[in-house]
């Protein structure tokens, strides 16, 4: 099956009250681990590539690896640009075979965000590609914002209809308290998401797919595996899985996961070297890393996203 857009996936996910996993990919082992899990679970799948991943692995290598995964699994896979920041980058991915792009104008003014997003939508739609826009800003704890600043970063439900109407985006990423990376909350802070904002956005945009970035749970098992084997990760706190399940049952149709994959891969490799300090064949340590990525993605599909059997 050729690469697909996310249109049909999101329509079914919205109706079914589940979400599609959008997993970041950077190399062959990550692509293999994710796609093998999705195949065994018969789950729809979004593979996403950041501009950093594209610089690291090269566009053509990533395209060919994803095509190989497609041939091997026969699954409907959507290939998505994560956090595109310019029209030129989005155009290059559209011209180069991606079926979905994100234009992230969330740091711009409302009007500038609309202008840039609309420009990408016009080009993408003319080429059969779908577009994710973003409204509101994801904050990290390192931003050290106070409570009133935080409110200003969350997506304003009063703006969403106008943004979607004027840009023509196919999905919308929103800020309700998630953030990128492994340190999403201050030590001792209770993880909280603004479900009231999500609910209000769902009312303003009926049947419209919402995207949640920064949605890794920072699974303690892998942080412990890193720290038990020479790592030094302080108080990493992610989004609790029950909150992600709740979001998936609401308007959220796409849940972005990268940090959990990184932690699983790094924890596994650290543990491997602690047990086998004399080994130096990359296949020996990348094999269990790939296995644990597969295990992690299977867990997400079954127990968090709810998209098992929905391909
Ligand atoms: O949201 C960002 C993703 O986790 C990708 O991260 O830019 O380091 O590839 P990256
Ligand atoms: P995490 O860092 O929580 O995995 O978020 C990934 C993401 O949002 C990619 O766009
Ligand atoms: Zn993101």
């Amino acid at each position: 099956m050729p690469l697909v857009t996310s249109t049909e996936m999101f329509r079914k996910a919205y109706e079914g009250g589940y979400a599609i996993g959008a997993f970041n990919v950077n190399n062959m082992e990550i692509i293999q681990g994710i796609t093998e899990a999705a195949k065994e679970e018969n789950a729809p799948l979004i593979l996403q590539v950041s501009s950093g991943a594209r610089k690291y692995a090269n566009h053509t290598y990533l395209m060919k690896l994803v095509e190989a995964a497609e041939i091997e699994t026969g699954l409907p896979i959507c290939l998505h640009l994560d956090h595109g920041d310019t029209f030129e980058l989005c155009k290059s991915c559209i011209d180069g075979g991606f079926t979905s792009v994100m234009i992230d104008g969330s740091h711009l003014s409302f009007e500038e965000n609309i202008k840039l997003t609309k420009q990408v939508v016009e080009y993408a739609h003319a080429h059969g590609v779908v577009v994710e826009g973003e409204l509101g800003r994801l904050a990290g704890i390192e931003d050290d914002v106070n409570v009133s600043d935080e409110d200003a970063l969350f997506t304003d439900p009063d703006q969403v209809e106008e943004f979607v109407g004027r840009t023509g985006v196919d999905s919308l990423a929103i800020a309700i308290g998630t953030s990128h990376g492994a340190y999403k909350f201050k030590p001792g802070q209770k993880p909280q998401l603004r479900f009231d904002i999500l609910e209000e956005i769902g009312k303003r945009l009926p049947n419209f797919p919402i995207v949640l970035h920064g949605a890794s749970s920072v699974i303690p098992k892998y942080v412990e595996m890193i720290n038990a084997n020479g790592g030094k990760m302080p108080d990493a706190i992610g989004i609790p899985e029950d909150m992600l399940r709740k979001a998936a049952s609401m308007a959220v149709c796409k849940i972005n996961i990268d940090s959990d994959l990184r932690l699983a891969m790094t924890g596994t490799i650290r543990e491997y070297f602690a047990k086998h300090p004399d080994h130096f064949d990359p296949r020996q340590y990348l094999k269990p890393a790939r296995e644990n990525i597969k295990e992690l993605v299977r867990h997400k599909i079954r127990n968090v996203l709810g998209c098992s059997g929905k391909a």
Side-chain angles (χ1 to χ4, degrees):
M1 182 185 274
L3 293 172
V4 297
T5 71
S6 49
T7 308
E8 200 50 15
M9 291 183 188
F10 287 166
R11 193 187 58 72
K12 290 189 191 157
Y14 197 101
E15 275 173 15
Y18 61 87
I20 315 293
F23 299 96
N24 285 74
V25 298
N26 293 279
N27 67 13
M28 183 184 79
E29 285 76 12
I30 295 174
I31 292 173
Q32 287 176 331
I34 297 167
T35 54
E36 282 171 20
K39 181 187 166 130
E40 287 178 18
E41 290 297 316
N42 194 31
L45 182 63
I46 299 174
L47 295 178
Q48 56 187 12
V49 170
S50 69
S51 68
R54 206 160 165 264
K55 279 189 201 117
Y56 169 77
N58 168 296
H59 181 93
T60 311
Y61 277 92
L62 288 170
M63 279 306 298
K64 295 296 170 192
L65 285 168
V66 172
E67 275 172 32
E70 182 99 87
I71 292 166
E72 287 298 316
T73 62
L75 277 177
I77 296 177
C78 169
L79 181 58
H80 174 76
L81 168 67
D82 190 26
H83 293 282
D85 58 350
T86 60
F87 172 79
E88 289 71 27
L89 173 58
C90 293
K91 179 179 183 302
S92 168
C93 289
I94 293 164
D95 295 345
F98 282 40
T99 49
S100 174
V101 294
M102 174 190 194
I103 178 69
D104 181 355
S106 59
H107 54 288
L108 301 173
S109 70
F110 186 63
E111 285 302 324
E112 286 297 318
N113 190 357
I114 288 181
K115 194 173 156 204
L116 177 61
T117 305
K118 190 170 187 295
Q119 188 191 8
V120 172
V121 168
E122 279 166 5
Y123 189 81
H125 285 182
H127 293 79
V129 169
V130 293
V131 180
E132 173 185 324
E134 178 161 340
L135 199 53
R137 250 184 32 184
L138 269 68
I141 51 169
E142 69 276 11
D143 292 344
D144 203 23
V145 286
N146 63 37
V147 177
S148 56
D149 285 345
E150 256 174 38
D151 266 347
L153 298 177
F154 295 136
T155 306
D156 179 356
D158 283 341
Q159 291 186 327
V160 296
E161 286 162 280
E162 185 180 348
F163 186 81
V164 169
R166 285 176 61 192
T167 58
V169 283
D170 304 279
S171 62
L172 183 67
I174 60 165
I176 57 166
T178 63
S179 64
H180 291 110
Y183 306 100
K184 300 187 191 296
F185 300 97
K186 294 191 177 81
Q189 191 185 357
K190 205 166 154 266
Q192 268 185 331
L193 295 186
R194 291 291 301 272
F195 284 104
D196 56 328
I197 295 180
L198 174 57
E199 196 176 350
E200 191 53 39
I201 291 172
K203 283 186 195 148
R204 307 286 181 104
L205 297 172
N207 293 315
F208 190 82
I210 298 300
V211 177
L212 215 52
H213 282 248
S216 278
S217 293
V218 189
I219 296 177
K221 178 170 82 170
Y222 292 114
V223 178
E224 280 155 25
M225 211 185 241
I226 289 174
N227 286 342
N229 294 290
K232 281 193 178 139
M233 290 193 61
D235 295 314
I237 307 172
I239 312 297
E241 290 181 342
D242 59 334
M243 290 190 189
L244 296 171
R245 277 197 297 275
K246 181 172 171 184
S249 74
M250 298 168 72
V252 170
C253 294
K254 172 173 179 272
I255 290 188
N256 285 9
I257 298 167
D258 188 3
S259 297
D260 277 336
L261 300 170
R262 296 179 179 193
L263 292 166
M265 186 156 207
T266 303
T268 310
I269 293 172
R270 274 193 178 276
E271 187 180 77
Y272 185 89
F273 279 125
K275 283 186 186 152
H276 308 282
D278 56 327
H279 285 190
F280 58 89
D281 179 345
R283 291 171 298 185
Q284 288 176 318
Y285 57 85
L286 289 174
K287 192 174 172 193
R290 182 173 60 191
E291 269 310 305
N292 275 346
I293 284 190
K294 181 173 170 182
E295 185 60 38
L296 169 75
V297 172
R298 187 200 298 284
H299 163 70
K300 297 280 182 188
I301 288 172
R302 275 194 195 167
N303 306 321
V304 182
L305 302 158
C307 61
S308 191
K310 309 287 189 186

